[in-house]
Amino acid sequence: LPPEGKPYTLVARIPLSYQQFSHQLHGKLFHQSIFLDSAASETAVIERVSAADANGRVLVAIEMTGDLKGTVYYWGTPRLDDDGRSLSVPDLQMAQESKAAIDSIRIGYWQLVDREIITKLRQAMVIDMSAQVDRLKQTITGTHRSGGTTMDILITRQQPDHVRSTPQGLTVTIVLEGTANATGQI
């Protein structure tokens, strides 16, 4: 038990499955049009978006129809922002294989495609974690009883720690700080 009224630190983990993450991405990007070449009236439409782990990074697959048919892949490293209240992938970039495949259509075409997709994708990949963080803090803050021991915990501060990507999904780790008082019989 922590000493009475002394600082208390707790490491909390919040899971986000790739199924949940993919569902959120798909909901934000489904059927959005991408304008590829205004002179030629070329457009593509996002039909499906999914995310998965790629050796500790996030791999996003975007299935397109229209004037650009096929799947375009992006990858990046997840990061916590805003005191752990949001998740983003700021270093998101198109995979080399996708660049090569798109450039086989026309040299330099991948840059045009990337310019149209990357901003939408980065925005869609910002995941608001505040509800999960708040729910966690509310669950921990308060009076907890176990046997003859009573512990009063007050969470006063949170700090982002890290995000880890595994084949099962993303795990957000946050450090919660506060005070704790314990009373009981030994």
Side-chain angles (χ1 to χ4, degrees):
L1 295 174
E4 187 173 328
K6 296 295 180 182
Y8 188 75
T9 302
L10 178 70
V11 176
R13 291 182 177 83
I14 302 170
L16 177 65
S17 73
Y18 271 112
Q19 183 179 3
Q20 293 170 300
F21 194 39
S22 294
H23 181 74
Q24 288 185 30
L25 286 175
H26 184 76
K28 292 176 180 179
L29 295 171
F30 179 64
H31 270 210
Q32 288 211 19
S33 293
I34 307 297
F35 299 99
L36 303 172
D37 187 348
S38 58
S41 298
E42 291 179 1
T43 61
V45 176
I46 298 173
E47 291 297 334
R48 182 175 154 87
V49 182
S50 60
D53 175 67
N55 298 321
R57 293 181 170 169
V58 176
L59 177 67
V60 179
I62 305 168
E63 294 177 24
M64 312 283 287
T65 59
D67 292 312
L68 180 64
K69 294 173 181 62
T71 304
V72 180
Y73 294 94
Y74 281 82
W75 59 269
T77 307
R79 179 180 87 181
L80 286 171
D81 300 311
D82 191 27
D83 287 334
R85 300 182 76 72
S86 67
L87 172 76
S88 68
V89 186
D91 67 346
L92 195 65
Q93 59 185 290
M94 188 183 287
Q96 291 296 333
E97 297 82 358
S98 291
K99 289 177 183 179
I102 294 170
D103 258 7
S104 71
I105 299 167
R106 184 168 66 234
I107 299 296
Y109 196 41
W110 80 265
Q111 292 161 322
L112 179 64
V113 172
D114 183 60
R115 186 171 42 243
E116 293 299 317
I117 293 176
I118 193 75
T119 302
K120 289 181 182 197
L121 185 56
R122 275 195 182 121
Q123 289 172 350
M125 291 186 79
V126 174
I127 304 296
D128 182 4
M129 301 294 295
S130 59
Q132 293 94 322
V133 171
D134 289 344
R135 192 168 34 253
L136 183 64
K137 286 169 55 177
Q138 287 173 354
T139 300
I140 295 169
T141 296
T143 302
H144 304 275
R145 291 179 180 82
S146 178
T149 304
T150 300
M151 184 180 269
D152 289 309
I153 299 173
L154 175 63
I155 300 298
T156 56
R157 186 174 157 212
Q158 69 189 42
Q159 288 181 230
D161 190 25
H162 68 276
V163 182
R164 188 169 156 229
S165 178
T166 68
Q168 293 73 38
L170 298 166
T171 302
V172 173
T173 304
I174 297 173
V175 177
L176 300 172
E177 298 174 351
T179 58
N181 294 311
T183 56
Q185 298 175 353
I186 298 179

